[in-house]
């Protein structure tokens, strides 16, 4: 079974600074997807960024980027120029490729989440 | 931008009662999911649903739970004989057909907070 571990229950950063959130995972699959979701106080789950395991290039999305180390099974999130609105719980998640309906990759397969990291942004 | 909507936002029920949590997925999505998050814990997968049947379910999703798509728009989670430990935030999500070589992301609703007293 796949597992996702976030070893930092809480992190804090000064506004405009950079912070990195850690995530490690365990899987026997060679191809899969990784995600970071943000959960603000409103409790909605918002997709921040995703990475496909077969792609060597790290994904970026504006101020958000990842450091994907496949051999180490590590998937960290870097937030640059942190803003007050970035304060939230951040969840790392894994999704295997090749779901139950194999003609549609990952369709319907579950997301496995880590425990979350609560990020505080200090003004 | 289309959204997944969930009702109610907060449901309070007594132990032993049945509750139905409602979700309206994004209209062109074909895969539907329920997740739950007990306060202070990680988000856990319950069930996925495709083509009017369960695709996958977790060990949490026992006979106490059932899902249904009663019409073309709603997707419901029924919890029979609720227990105190069922108190949690329940998230509905939906996704579209994955393009070849890609992963269609899950779009989550705002959740329903279920409190069992």
């Amino acid at each position: 079974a796949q597992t996702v571990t976030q070893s930092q229950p809480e992190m804090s950063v000064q506004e405009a600074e950079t912070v990195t959130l850690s995530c490690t995972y365990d899987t026997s699959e060679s191809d899969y997807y990784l995600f970071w979701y943000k959960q603000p106080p409103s409790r909605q789950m918002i997709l921040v960024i995703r990475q496909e395991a077969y792609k060597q290039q790290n994904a970026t999305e504006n101020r958000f980027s990842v450091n994907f180390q496949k051999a180490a099974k590590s998937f960290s999130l870097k937030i640059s120029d942190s803003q007050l609105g970035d304060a939230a719980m951040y969840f790392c998640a894994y999704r295997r490729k090749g779901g139950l309906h194999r003609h549609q990759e990952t369709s319907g397969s579950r997301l496995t989440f880590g425990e979350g990291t609560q990020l505080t942004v200090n003004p | 931008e289309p959204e997944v909507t969930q009702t109610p936002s907060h449901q309070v029920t007594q132990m032993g009662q049945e509750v139905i949590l409602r979700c309206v997925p994004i209209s062109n999505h074909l895969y539907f999911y329920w997740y739950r998050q007990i306060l202070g814990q990680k988000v856990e997968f319950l069930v996925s649903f495709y083509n009017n049947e369960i695709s996958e379910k977790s060990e949490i999703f026992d006979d106490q739970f059932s899902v249904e798509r009663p019409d073309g728009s709603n997707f419901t989670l029924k919890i029979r004989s609720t227990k105190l430990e069922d108190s949690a935030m329940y998230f509905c999500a939906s996704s579209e057909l994955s393009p070849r070589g890609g992963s269609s992301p899950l779009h989550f609703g705002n959740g329903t907070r279920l409190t069992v007293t």
Side-chain angles (χ1 to χ4, degrees):
Chain A
Q2 292 85 13
T3 59
V4 178
T5 302
Q6 293 177 250
S7 59
Q8 305 157 315
E10 297 176 348
M11 290 284 284
S12 63
V13 64
Q14 289 296 124
E15 196 175 1
E17 297 294 308
T18 295
V19 64
T20 298
L21 308 184
S22 301
C23 172
T24 58
Y25 58 94
D26 188 25
T27 182
S28 58
E29 305 281 340
S30 61
D31 205 3
Y32 44 86
Y33 298 94
L34 296 164
F35 305 85
W36 279 97
Y37 278 86
K38 170 185 177 181
Q39 187 181 43
S42 65
R43 303 299 296 271
Q44 187 180 8
M45 297 289 286
I46 303 166
L47 178 65
V48 175
I49 198 166
R50 59 181 156 173
Q51 174 80 40
E52 299 177 54
Y54 72 90
K55 288 186 177 178
Q56 293 186 340
Q57 186 173 10
N58 289 323
T60 62
E61 197 73 43
N62 300 316
R63 297 182 295 106
F64 298 88
S65 62
V66 298
N67 183 6
F68 174 48
Q69 301 290 326
K70 191 173 184 180
K73 296 181 181 173
S74 169
F75 182 61
S76 60
L77 174 69
K78 185 170 84 170
I79 306 174
S80 305
D81 186 25
S82 298
Q83 300 176 359
L84 295 177
D86 295 333
M89 180 73 88
Y90 286 81
F91 291 98
C92 178
Y94 167 100
R95 194 180 196 194
R96 65 183 172 88
K97 196 171 184 179
L100 296 172
H101 307 280
R102 291 195 176 268
H103 65 290
Q104 299 290 349
E105 296 157 352
T106 79
S107 294
S109 61
R110 69 172 73 182
L111 280 172
T112 300
F113 286 90
E115 303 90 339
T117 296
Q118 181 68 51
L119 178 67
T120 301
V121 181
N122 300 309
Chain B
E1 187 176 330
E3 293 182 338
V4 176
T5 56
Q6 290 185 243
T7 55
S9 57
H10 191 190
Q11 173 90 47
V12 181
T13 190
Q14 287 191 324
M15 194 167 53
Q17 296 296 304
E18 174 183 286
V19 293
I20 297 176
L21 309 184
R22 303 181 190 280
C23 170
V24 179
I26 295 173
S27 62
N28 65 332
H29 286 187
L30 299 178
Y31 296 90
F32 315 115
Y33 314 81
W34 283 102
Y35 287 77
R36 82 171 183 190
Q37 184 183 28
I38 296 171
L39 186 64
Q41 298 186 22
K42 66 170 70 177
V43 179
E44 301 172 293
F45 170 78
L46 291 177
V47 65
S48 61
F49 191 86
Y50 170 75
N51 198 27
N52 285 317
E53 61 182 20
I54 291 174
S55 299
E56 189 181 3
K57 60 183 181 179
S58 72
E59 56 281 359
I60 302 169
F61 194 89
D62 59 22
D63 292 342
Q64 183 194 7
F65 295 90
S66 62
V67 290
E68 192 179 28
R69 188 156 163 80
D71 52 44
S73 59
N74 290 285
F75 178 53
T76 62
L77 173 69
K78 182 189 289 186
I79 309 175
R80 287 180 282 273
S81 189
T82 50
K83 305 189 285 281
L84 294 176
E85 53 265 38
D86 294 327
S87 295
M89 182 73 89
Y90 288 82
F91 291 101
C92 174
S94 67
S95 64
E96 57 188 345
L97 223 52
S98 290
R100 285 201 177 275
S103 169
S104 56
L106 271 64
H107 295 256
F108 284 84
N110 286 346
T112 293
R113 184 186 301 277
L114 177 65
T115 302
V116 182
T117 61

